[in-house]
Amino acid sequence: MTTPDPGAPPRVAVINSSVREGRFAPRVGAWVHKSLVEAGVDTDVINLCDLVIPADMSPHPDSASFAGAIGQADAILIITPEYNHSFPGPLKTAIDAVREQWRAKPVAFVSYGGMAGGLRAVEALRLVFAELHAVTVRDSVSLHNPWGPAEDPRVEYPDQAATAALHQMMRQLSWWAGALRDARHRTPYPG
């Protein structure tokens, strides 16, 4: 086993969780990906709309590919809308298709939605990841009613506050990624 380079940037799997027709997720995902690339973060973008992950957990190449991507990641960033005060069902199916790969990994969130900005989806996800022995980053990025500003070319989208929040959250995610990567290397997680 090779020793991880403590100075190496973390490898972050970015999961874009919306699969609905006409979804807003590509706009948010493009912003997040561009910001991470500009910051020198090694990213692996996973669009759930491009995968087939069977709800009955039957074997499928996409499920294996998804599990591999999570296993190779040092950290995970989930982009999620809020649907009916929670997160999308296909995201839960994808999360449940993987088990050990989540353990002792940090997870951060970028959410969007109406007035709540997707925060209820994030809080529901925190419970799921606690059960999987993952560590969720306290700070998150929440985009409230982003549809209007995103369509108006006169308005900066996302605004400076959202961009600053993303950078702050990524500093925290990177810290956790490095700390947990080193800890997993020293001692396998006893989950």
Side-chain angles (χ1 to χ4, degrees), residues 18 45 76 120 138 143 147 156 162 168 171:
S18 179
V45 178
I76 294 91
R120 293 174 288 217
R138 184 209 173 272
L143 303 174
W147 304 276
E156 180 185 353
Q168 173 64 18
R171 283 193 294 275

Side-chain angles (χ1 to χ4, degrees), residues 2-95:
T2 61
T3 303
D5 177 3
R11 182 177 186 152
V12 179
V14 178
I15 302 172
N16 208 331
S17 68
S18 179
V19 301
R20 287 186 176 176
E21 182 86 23
R23 63 195 170 278
F24 189 71
R27 291 291 303 266
V28 178
W31 167 66
V32 168
H33 184 252
K34 179 177 183 276
S35 297
L36 297 185
V37 168
E38 288 174 353
V41 177
D42 182 11
T43 60
D44 182 12
V45 178
I46 303 165
N47 289 302
L48 291 185
C49 64
D50 297 334
L51 302 177
V52 174
I53 300 179
D56 67 0
M57 300 302 154
S58 58
H60 191 280
D62 285 354
S63 298
S65 173
F66 180 72
I70 299 304
Q72 291 296 313
D74 295 311
I76 294 91
L77 189 155
I78 295 178
I79 301 169
T80 185
E82 181 178 316
Y83 296 157
N84 301 320
H85 285 219
S86 193
F87 54 91
L91 176 57
K92 182 67 163 83
T93 300
I95 291 169

